[in-house]
């Protein structure tokens, strides 16, 4: 009871001694009251049907209603002006309440006018927002309204600030809280400006150290943030500060400053991001003239957009989207049109310089080049040039992305072959052109030698994986399979070179099979050629050195028949019994491995199986280019070989484009087999008898119709030859279950047509027909390529 009495007594005394200035009346929370005329117009506008449902009569009623709005705007503007004059002479709350009512009514009328201008017919809108007499009248009316509202804002601002300072005398606590918040914002901004750059640079350095093939998404994020993080930090700090200030009495008009800040910082950040994007993705980053002009153009456009945005937004907030807004928007469009003309004139020299780098142009570009110096037509001609360059760049980007798919590459090469085949008809009619045959072709397209340049990036991943298994000091028995001619032997020699060991040995498996291979192993390891298997195993067990054995062409140990894996199983068993940390790599053709894989199923035979990839188009082109001369007595010429221009060849000369296009044809026909590509490259050489020069022309591909219609038994013989590499009639009879005489007749048939070559009474698929035979067997589901 005593506590309550004391509190009540203290409160009573405080009320008695408090200064009179603190005893203010409480503010009301009444909603703004509109004048009767303004309220009626607002109700009429709200009752109009939706614009897409409006009829001609509804739009006519809206036009008449808009005329009433004009009349009421004039009346309310005059009333507000008179009320402000009265308030200046006799300031009182009652008069200020009338002023606020008139101001709210005038704002409502301006908003209704903006809605009606969008609602009426376009010709009516144009009448009151255009540059005609009615438009000028509306402009003067809105200018008068704007002047009156500015006068109101000045008086209102003075009243609000007076009230704010009066409130501070009662309680300065809100100001102290504001100062505290501003201090926190300042400290956070200062902290980020010190820590942020170092943190972002450390993230970028970490990503760079990873040495990834392509930049990850997080790397793109940090790279762009590094360019704009300071602007973003200042933008956030100022925006939060303005938001805090706008909540204080008397500072509501800070919203206009907020618009300016938002647009200015948005322009600054946009310029930085666009410059970073173009600098990272442009092909002309090293051309100072282009870089400086690009930065200049980006700044001009962004700052014009920023200025237009600020002016239009402030106009919309002040007088809504009326006549003044329409006029300003028109002037901004004119400014944009003038800037377009200026930008085109600035870029005219560079655009036509880039266009001059290409020989072939469509007719509209030829017209543009012709009129590039015409003062009147130059901007339009430059615009056509820009369109052509952008169109070319876009299609080039799409084309390059499609080139990642092998099917698309093969389709392009197919159309190349068709185009070049048309030219070959005319070449055949030229009696001066004769094909270079025999050993002479090897003078122009050189065969592979020990010192021939290597295509280092081919099978690089497979070589690294093989080295991890074989070169490590642990037992390893690995198999590498490959189609004939892909470069398996070269891969083995690269592995031996990488091992840097004198105990790394390459062995070419003989045709005689297991017994002859043991003799080769004995000699390679320093044993007697006639040493037994037990002696060989004992040597491998007791050896203090780790041997790396690369045994190539192990398909000669495999026969596609029942018990055809006996020799292979013997050699693998012998090598495993060595019981030491020796590394062994067996290499064989793909068709033989497919037979082993089906025969063995899931039973383990090798520690690791690696497949050799096919050569891609770039690798085949590098190999072919390394085997020819561009100068000297045995130089080749691609002159006269007309190929369609592709989007990935825009920067190439006519000679380079013909060369690359022809390599693409060879890659497609060989299906990524460099040996096949080299053979048909040599078949494409023709010599002009008049001057002795050697030219490249399209080769004559074999006709595979006979293969596709061949009976299955004959195809089975071809498959067996592919699997065996070289095969006698007896071996083919055992593998195909065909009679010996039938196999002899089939081989004679194949030899007559050039399908096979006979080596000591053994058949081997000819290089000329190798690709078509493997394709046919694959299509007939008799062989997996």
């Amino acid at each position: 009871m005593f506590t309550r009495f004391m509190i009540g007594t203290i409160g009573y005394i405080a009320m008695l001694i408090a200064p009179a200035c603190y005893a203010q009346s409480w503010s009301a929370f009444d909603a703004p009251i509109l004048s009767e005329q303004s309220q009626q117009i607002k109700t009429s506008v709200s009752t109009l049907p939706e614009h897409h449902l409006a009829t001609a009569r509804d739009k006519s009623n809206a036009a008449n209603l808009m005329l009433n709005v004009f009349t009421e705007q004039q009346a309310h503007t005059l009333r507000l002006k008179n009320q402000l004059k009265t308030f200046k002479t006799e300031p009182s709350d009652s008069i200020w309440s009338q002023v606020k009512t008139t101001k709210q009514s005038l704002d409502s009328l301006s908003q209704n006018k903006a809605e009606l201008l969008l609602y009426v017919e376009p010709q009516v809108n144009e009448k009151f927002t255009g540059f005609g007499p009615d438009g000028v009248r509306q402009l003067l009316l809105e200018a008068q309204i704007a002047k009156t509202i500015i006068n109101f804002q000045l008086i209102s601002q003075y009243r609000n600030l007076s009230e704010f300072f009066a409130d501070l005398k009662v309680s300065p606590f809100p100001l102290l809280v504001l100062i505290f918040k501003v201090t926190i914002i300042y400290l956070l901004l200062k902290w980020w400006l010190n820590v942020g750059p170092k943190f972002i640079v450390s993230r970028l350095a970490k990503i760079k150290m990873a040495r990834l093939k392509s930049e990850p998404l997080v790397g793109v994020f940090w790279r762009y943030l590094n360019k704009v993080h300071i602007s973003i930090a200042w933008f956030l700090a100022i925006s939060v500060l303005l938001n805090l200030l706008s909540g204080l009495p008397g500072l509501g008009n800070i919203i206009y400053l907020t618009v300016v800040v938002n647009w200015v910082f948005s322009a600054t950040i946009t310029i930085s991001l666009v410059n970073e994007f173009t600098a990272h993705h442009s092909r002309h980053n090293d051309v100072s003239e282009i870089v400086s002009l690009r930065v200049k153009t980006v700044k001009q456009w962004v700052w014009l957009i920023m200025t237009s945005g600020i002016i239009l937004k402030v106009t919309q907030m002040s007088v809504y989207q009326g006549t003044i807004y329409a006029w300003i928007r028109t002037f901004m469009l004119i400014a944009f049109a003038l800037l377009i003309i200026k930008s085109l004139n600035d870029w005219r020299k560079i655009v036509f310089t880039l266009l001059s780098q290409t020989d072939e142009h469509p007719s509209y570009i030829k017209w543009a080049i012709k009129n590039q110096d015409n003062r009147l037509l130059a901007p339009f001609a430059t615009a056509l040039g820009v369109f052509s360059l952008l169109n070319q760049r876009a299609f080039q980007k799409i084309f390059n992305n499609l080139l990642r798919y092998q099917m698309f590459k093969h389709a392009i090469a197919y159309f190349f072959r068709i185009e070049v085949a048309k030219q070959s008809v005319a070449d055949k009619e030229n009696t001066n052109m004769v094909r270079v045959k025999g050993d002479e072709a090897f003078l122009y397209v050189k065969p592979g030698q020990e010192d021939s340049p290597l295509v280092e990036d081919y099978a690089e991943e497979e070589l690294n994986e093989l080295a991890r298994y074989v070169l490590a000091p642990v037992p390893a028995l690995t198999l590498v399979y490959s189609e004939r001619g892909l470069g398996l032997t070269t891969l083995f020699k690269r592995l031996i070179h990488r091992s840097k060991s004198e105990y790394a040995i390459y062995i070419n498996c003989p045709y005689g099979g297991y017994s002859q291979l043991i003799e080769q192993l004995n000699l390679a390891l320093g044993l007697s050629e006639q040493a037994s298997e037990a002696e060989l195993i004992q040597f491998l067990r007791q050896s203090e050195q780790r041997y790396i054995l690369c045994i190539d062409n192990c398909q000669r140990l495999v026969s596609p028949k029942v018990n055809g894996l006996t020799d292979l199983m013997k050699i693998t068993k012998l090598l495993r019994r060595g019981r030491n940390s020796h590394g062994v790599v067996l290499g064989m053709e793909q068709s033989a491995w497919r037979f082993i894989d089906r025969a063995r199923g899931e039973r383990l035979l090798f520690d690791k199986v690696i497949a050799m990839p096919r050569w891609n188009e770039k690798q085949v082109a590098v190999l072919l280019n390394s085997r020819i001369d561009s100068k000297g007595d045995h130089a080749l010429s691609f002159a006269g070989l007309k190929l369609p221009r592709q989007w990935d060849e825009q920067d190439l000369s006519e000679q380079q484009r013909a060369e690359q296009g022809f390599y693409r044809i060879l890659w497609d026909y060989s299906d990524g087999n460099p040996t096949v590509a080299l053979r048909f490259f040599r078949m494409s050489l023709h010599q002009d008898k008049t001057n002795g020069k050697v030219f490249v022309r399209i080769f004559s591909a074999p006709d595979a119709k006979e293969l596709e219609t061949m009976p299955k038994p004959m195809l089975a013989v071809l498959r067996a030859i592919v699997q065996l590499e070289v095969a006698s009639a007896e071996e083919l009879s055992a593998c195909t279950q065909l009679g010996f005489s039938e196999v002899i007749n089939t081989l004679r048939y194949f030899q007559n047509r050039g399908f096979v070559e006979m080596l000591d009474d053994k058949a081997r698929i000819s290089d000329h027909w190798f690709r078509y035979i493997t394709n046919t067997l694959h299509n007939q589901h008799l062989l997996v390529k």
Side-chain angles (χ1 to χ4, degrees):
M1 294 293 294
F2 177 76
T3 303
R4 294 182 179 177
F5 174 75
M6 289 299 296
I7 294 174
T9 303
I10 293 172
Y12 179 73
I13 294 172
M15 291 176 62
L16 292 176
I17 65 176
C21 63
Y22 288 177
Q24 298 291 338
S25 60
W26 302 105
S27 299
F29 290 94
D30 297 334
I33 300 174
L34 301 180
S35 64
E36 182 179 354
Q37 300 86 348
S38 177
Q39 185 63 45
Q40 290 177 354
I41 290 175
K42 183 177 180 180
T43 303
S44 299
V45 171
S46 62
T47 57
L48 289 172
E50 294 291 335
H51 188 271
H52 63 281
L53 300 175
T55 61
R57 183 169 182 173
D58 293 328
K59 294 183 178 181
S60 177
N61 292 336
N64 293 326
L65 184 60
M66 189 166 59
L67 296 178
N68 294 335
V69 172
F70 297 159
T71 303
E72 291 300 329
Q73 278 185 311
Q74 292 175 340
H76 279 71
T77 302
L78 183 60
R79 185 186 307 170
L80 180 59
K81 187 185 297 184
N82 293 332
Q83 288 174 346
L84 289 173
K85 288 181 180 179
T86 304
F87 179 79
K88 288 180 181 179
T89 57
E90 300 178 10
S92 64
D93 292 341
S94 58
I95 295 178
W96 184 249
S97 178
Q98 295 175 7
V99 169
K100 290 177 66 177
T101 298
T102 306
K103 166 62 169 57
Q104 294 293 340
S105 301
L106 189 57
D107 286 344
S108 177
L109 289 170
S110 298
Q111 188 173 3
N112 293 333
K113 173 185 173 181
E115 295 177 5
L116 290 171
L117 283 172
L118 297 175
Y119 196 92
V120 298
E121 295 288 352
Q123 57 268 26
V124 178
N125 181 299
E126 179 64 25
K127 178 181 180 181
F128 293 107
T129 59
F131 295 92
D134 291 322
V136 174
R137 293 188 187 99
Q138 284 300 309
L139 181 72
L140 295 175
L141 174 59
E142 290 184 6
Q144 188 178 6
I145 294 173
K147 181 180 178 181
T148 306
I149 289 178
I150 291 173
N151 192 17
F152 167 84
Q153 293 289 358
L154 293 174
I155 297 173
S156 176
Q157 188 70 26
Y158 176 77
R159 279 178 56 83
N160 290 334
L161 289 175
S162 300
E163 292 177 359
F164 175 62
F165 289 119
D167 290 341
L168 287 180
K169 295 179 181 179
V170 177
S171 175
F173 186 74
L175 182 60
L176 296 176
V177 172
L178 176 64
I179 294 174
F180 175 73
K181 292 180 179 179
V182 171
T183 304
I184 292 177
I185 294 172
Y186 170 75
L187 293 176
L188 288 174
L189 176 62
K190 186 176 180 180
W191 172 81
W192 176 255
L193 293 178
N194 290 331
V195 176
K198 299 177 182 177
F199 176 74
I200 295 174
V201 170
S202 67
R203 297 294 93 191
L204 289 171
K206 184 177 180 181
I207 294 172
K208 188 176 181 180
M209 288 176 61
R211 295 183 179 180
L212 302 174
K213 290 184 178 180
S214 59
E215 186 179 21
L217 187 61
V218 66
V220 176
F221 169 77
W222 289 117
R223 177 162 54 81
Y224 281 104
L225 185 62
N226 187 42
K227 298 294 182 181
V228 298
H229 70 95
I230 294 179
S231 300
I232 292 177
W234 277 103
F235 175 54
L236 293 176
I238 295 175
S239 297
V240 173
L241 178 62
L242 292 178
N243 187 50
L244 292 175
L245 294 175
S246 64
L248 295 177
L251 298 179
N253 289 329
I254 281 182
I255 188 174
Y256 290 100
L257 183 58
T258 302
V259 172
V260 176
V261 169
N262 290 342
W263 277 96
V264 169
F265 276 98
S266 297
T268 304
I269 293 171
T270 301
I271 289 174
S272 300
L273 292 176
V274 171
N275 285 335
E276 173 61 20
F277 176 83
T278 52
H280 188 74
H281 294 280
S282 176
R283 296 184 298 172
H284 305 286
N285 290 330
D286 56 342
V287 183
S288 58
E289 182 182 5
I290 294 179
V291 173
S292 59
L293 183 56
R294 183 178 64 215
V295 173
K296 175 185 174 182
T297 304
V298 169
K299 286 183 177 180
Q300 289 175 346
W301 276 95
V302 173
W303 287 115
L304 179 59
I305 294 172
M306 180 209 70
T307 305
S308 303
I310 292 175
I311 294 175
L312 291 175
K313 185 63 178 179
V314 171
T315 304
Q316 181 183 357
M317 294 168 59
S318 303
V319 294
Y320 300 95
Q321 297 185 22
T323 304
I324 292 179
Y325 183 89
W327 278 39
I328 292 176
R329 185 175 59 187
T330 302
F331 287 130
M332 290 300 172
L333 291 175
I334 295 174
F336 277 106
L338 294 176
L339 184 57
I340 289 175
I341 295 174
K342 182 181 183 304
S343 298
L344 290 173
N345 285 330
D346 291 342
W347 282 91
R348 178 168 58 90
K349 179 181 177 182
I350 294 175
V351 167
F352 286 103
T353 300
L354 295 176
L355 287 174
S356 64
Q357 297 175 0
T358 307
D359 299 330
E360 301 175 4
H361 297 292
S363 57
Y364 69 93
I365 293 298
K366 293 179 180 178
W367 178 89
I369 294 174
K370 182 180 179 181
N371 293 277
Q372 60 177 305
D373 296 324
N374 188 307
R375 183 172 299 180
L376 209 58
L377 299 176
F380 185 66
T382 308
L384 291 177
V386 171
F387 170 78
S388 177
L389 291 174
L390 292 177
N391 187 52
Q392 175 182 322
R393 180 65 175 163
F395 275 99
Q396 184 175 352
K397 188 71 175 178
I398 296 172
F399 189 87
N400 290 338
N401 288 332
L402 289 174
L403 281 178
R404 295 183 299 177
Y405 303 98
Q406 297 296 322
M407 184 180 298
F408 182 76
K409 285 187 175 182
H410 285 295
I412 293 297
Y414 173 75
F415 289 116
F416 273 22
R417 287 171 60 185
I418 293 176
E419 184 66 25
V420 178
K422 295 178 182 177
Q423 302 175 29
S424 65
V425 176
D427 291 333
K428 289 179 181 179
E429 296 176 357
N430 186 357
T431 57
N432 292 327
M433 298 290 285
V434 294
R435 193 164 73 84
V436 179
K437 300 179 181 180
D439 294 338
E440 187 181 359
F442 288 90
L443 299 175
Y444 295 93
V445 182
K446 303 180 185 67
Q449 304 291 339
E450 289 292 334
D451 57 348
S452 297
L454 285 175
V455 182
E456 296 287 348
D457 63 334
Y458 171 69
E460 187 67 25
E461 294 182 5
E462 287 72 17
L463 179 60
N464 293 335
E465 186 177 9
L466 184 61
R468 282 197 299 269
Y469 278 91
V470 179
L471 301 185
V474 293
L477 180 57
T478 306
L479 176 105
V480 183
Y481 66 90
S482 161
E483 185 183 62
R484 186 174 93 188
L486 289 185
L488 180 56
T489 302
T490 303
L491 181 78
F492 280 179
K493 292 183 178 180
R494 291 174 67 185
L495 177 66
I496 291 174
H497 176 73
R498 180 177 291 193
S499 70
K500 299 180 180 179
S501 171
E502 58 180 315
Y503 300 101
I505 301 171
Y506 172 82
I507 299 173
N508 186 15
C509 182
Y511 291 106
Y514 176 76
S515 59
Q516 292 188 13
L517 177 59
I518 295 298
E519 294 176 0
Q520 293 278 359
L521 276 171
N522 289 334
L523 291 175
L525 296 174
L527 299 175
S528 170
E529 185 177 359
Q530 304 302 322
S532 64
E533 294 181 17
E535 292 175 334
L536 177 58
I537 293 172
Q538 189 68 19
F539 175 83
L540 292 174
R541 286 183 177 181
Q542 296 178 355
S543 174
E544 296 179 358
Q545 304 297 333
R546 182 176 187 269
Y547 284 93
I548 300 171
L549 303 177
C550 299
I551 306 177
D552 200 2
N553 292 314
C554 288
Q555 69 275 1
R556 296 165 186 172
L557 301 174
V558 179
S559 182
K561 61 182 179 181
V562 177
N563 297 325
L565 303 182
T566 303
D567 286 352
L568 180 66
M569 300 303 295
K570 285 182 180 181
I571 191 64
T572 56
K573 184 178 179 180
L574 181 146
L575 294 171
R576 289 189 185 278
R577 289 174 64 190
R579 291 186 185 176
N580 209 332
S581 58
H582 303 297
V584 180
V585 188
L586 304 183
M588 67 173 57
E589 287 196 9
Q590 179 173 287
S591 56
W593 165 247
R594 297 296 183 190
F595 174 76
I596 298 170
D597 192 34
R598 290 195 300 270
R600 293 284 300 177
E602 297 181 355
R603 289 176 291 174
L604 180 66
L605 183 59
F606 300 101
D607 301 329
K608 184 69 176 178
V609 177
I610 298 175
M612 289 281 285
R614 296 185 181 276
W615 291 51
N616 61 37
E617 180 185 342
K618 181 179 178 181
Q619 292 165 347
V620 170
V622 171
L623 176 69
L624 297 179
N625 193 57
S626 68
R627 298 293 181 87
I628 64 174
D629 293 328
S630 57
K631 297 179 180 179
D633 296 334
H634 301 103
L636 285 182
S637 175
F638 290 83
L641 194 63
K642 303 286 186 182
L643 289 172
R645 182 185 296 272
Q646 296 300 319
W647 293 105
D648 61 338
E649 301 172 346
Q650 298 299 317
D651 299 329
L652 302 181
S653 65
E654 191 71 28
Q655 172 83 2
Q656 292 172 327
R657 188 165 68 249
E659 182 177 344
Q660 181 171 311
F662 190 74
Y663 290 160
R664 176 171 288 169
I665 293 173
L666 290 172
W667 165 80
D668 170 64
Y669 177 77
S670 66
D671 197 13
N673 190 310
T675 302
V676 177
L678 282 167
R679 174 174 178 78
F680 282 91
F681 193 13
R682 295 186 181 101
M683 290 182 60
S684 307
L685 307 181
H686 292 73
Q687 189 173 36
D688 191 340
K689 293 187 294 185
T690 59
N691 54 25
K693 291 184 177 181
V694 176
F695 296 90
V696 176
R697 293 294 181 264
I698 191 64
F699 53 86
S700 298
D703 189 357
K705 293 180 180 178
E706 189 174 6
L707 281 172
E708 294 171 356
T709 59
M710 190 175 289
K712 287 293 191 294
M714 299 179 72
L715 292 176
V717 174
L718 282 176
R719 179 182 66 175
I721 299 174
V722 172
Q723 292 173 327
L724 291 169
E725 185 187 3
V726 292
S728 64
E730 292 82 0
E731 291 174 322
L732 293 173
S733 178
C735 293
T736 59
Q737 302 290 311
L738 297 174
F740 181 78
S741 60
E742 185 176 357
V743 171
I744 289 293
N745 292 333
T746 303
L747 289 177
R748 186 180 297 110
Y749 178 88
F750 290 162
Q751 187 181 10
N752 178 265
R753 284 157 178 77
F755 296 161
V756 300
E757 301 167 346
M758 301 306 294
L759 305 173
D760 298 331
D761 294 331
K762 290 188 176 184
R764 181 179 184 272
I765 300 296
S766 67
D767 291 338
H768 185 72
W769 283 93
F770 177 78
R771 176 52 67 220
Y772 264 123
I773 289 174
T774 54
N775 285 343
T776 302
L777 294 175
H778 178 77
N779 296 335
Q780 297 288 339
H781 306 289
L782 296 174
L783 187 72
V784 179
K785 291 204 301 179

